[in-house]
Amino acid sequence: MSDMLLSAAATAVMLVWSQLAHDSRAGMAGLGIALWFPVSVLLYRAMLRWLPMIGGIRAHATAPGAQRRREITASCLLTSALCIIFLASMPLHLALANAVALNFACLAALLDYTEGWMPTYVLVPMLLAGLVNNALHDSANAAILGAGAAWVAVSLALIFLSISLRANFLSGGDMTMATACGAWVGSAHVAMFLLASAVFHWLSCVLLRALNTPPPRHVYLDGPERTWARPMGPSFAVGLTLTLLIQACPVLPHWAQVLSGY
């Protein structure tokens, strides 16, 4: 199936759902998400082409190939599908806020996956949006504590890895994205976010090493050649997504209740 056909089919399904929604406001929001999906595909393709050049990562703008275009389309489709799930399972204002968080996370994860780089002019607005969203819902303190806890935890973990493996794992982009995600999930759910991100990142590292996939960037100082790093942006995006889904789920397993602070 071509990218254009997939986008058209997915948009049509979302449009049908928005018309069948019992809540008129949710239906209108679903219509907006359905229209946003094809726009997001084109927007993310343009950003992945031009932002690395603007940020000095590449000398020239590079158009994404066929495989990269499929990955972008799949990421945008997953993000839009999750937004529809949020609309069906939580109040409208919370669903729309989560949609903003997921789109920021999707863009950052795609940039990290393709370039090993996440620009601060994407991550800082994501952080500020999370703080503002929680402030509007009278949970500004929880957002600040969540952001601080995520920054401290990820920073200490990267410092420990750098010292123990004699390699440079420190990344301002990774720490900033973790902070932004912590602001979105708040202090009550930051432990769940960190655990989900760590487990997914570990599993992806094990899988990619088993497949002998070359690392996207070198991290050696004077350590062994087996020391390497993988982009953490996709792991943070998955951790954020799982945490928001658990918040949206009315019935949680006991372990998820404990980690989420319920």
Side-chain angles (χ1 to χ4, degrees):
M1 182 181 293
S2 67
D3 293 343
M4 185 175 297
L5 182 59
L6 175 61
S7 298
T11 302
V13 171
M14 295 179 196
L15 288 172
V16 171
W17 181 90
S18 67
Q19 296 303 313
L20 297 177
H22 297 293
D23 188 340
S24 59
R25 293 192 303 167
M28 290 299 296
L31 177 61
I33 292 174
L35 297 177
W36 165 250
F37 165 62
V39 174
S40 67
V41 173
L42 297 176
L43 180 62
Y44 288 4
R45 286 181 184 177
M47 287 185 172
L48 289 171
R49 178 177 182 178
W50 291 101
L51 288 184
M53 187 194 72
I54 295 173
I57 302 300
R58 294 183 179 273
H60 305 284
T62 304
Q67 176 63 26
R68 193 68 71 209
R69 290 197 300 270
R70 285 193 291 269
E71 292 171 352
I72 294 171
T73 301
S75 299
C76 293
L77 176 58
L78 178 60
T79 300
S80 297
L82 289 168
C83 293
I84 294 294
I85 293 174
F86 288 140
L87 282 174
S89 59
M90 59 173 44
L92 178 61
H93 64 283
L94 294 178
L96 293 179
N98 288 344
V100 172
L102 289 183
N103 277 277
F104 269 119
C106 178
L107 177 58
L110 285 170
L111 285 168
D112 202 19
Y113 175 74
T114 57
E115 305 292 344
W117 165 79
M118 293 184 288
T120 54
Y121 45 80
V122 172
L123 299 178
V124 171
M126 179 182 178
L127 170 60
L128 295 177
L131 294 173
V132 170
N133 173 66
N134 281 279
L136 293 176
H137 296 94
D138 299 324
S139 54
N141 291 339
I144 294 172
L145 291 175
W151 184 86
V152 170
V154 172
S155 298
L156 291 178
L158 295 179
I159 290 173
F160 173 78
L161 288 174
S162 298
I163 294 175
S164 60
L165 298 178
R166 292 294 300 158
N168 180 23
F169 286 92
L170 286 174
S171 168
D174 292 340
M175 291 183 283
T176 305
M177 184 170 183
T179 305
C181 293
W184 276 100
V185 301
S187 57
H189 308 99
V190 69
M192 181 65 202
F193 158 72
L194 292 171
L195 178 61
S197 300
V199 170
F200 180 83
H201 191 69
W202 176 76
L203 291 174
S204 64
C205 288
V206 170
L207 177 62
L208 292 173
R209 174 171 289 191
L211 296 176
N212 199 27
T213 305
R217 63 185 177 92
H218 299 288
V219 297
Y220 314 123
L221 295 178
D222 57 1
E225 293 186 358
R226 66 177 182 273
T227 304
W228 44 268
R230 296 290 173 188
M232 297 188 69
S235 302
F236 289 140
V238 171
L240 176 64
T241 300
L242 292 176
T243 304
L244 295 178
L245 283 173
I246 288 175
Q247 288 180 260
C249 183
V251 179
L252 298 176
H254 176 70
W255 62 269
Q257 293 179 4
V258 173
L259 290 174
S260 298
Y262 284 97

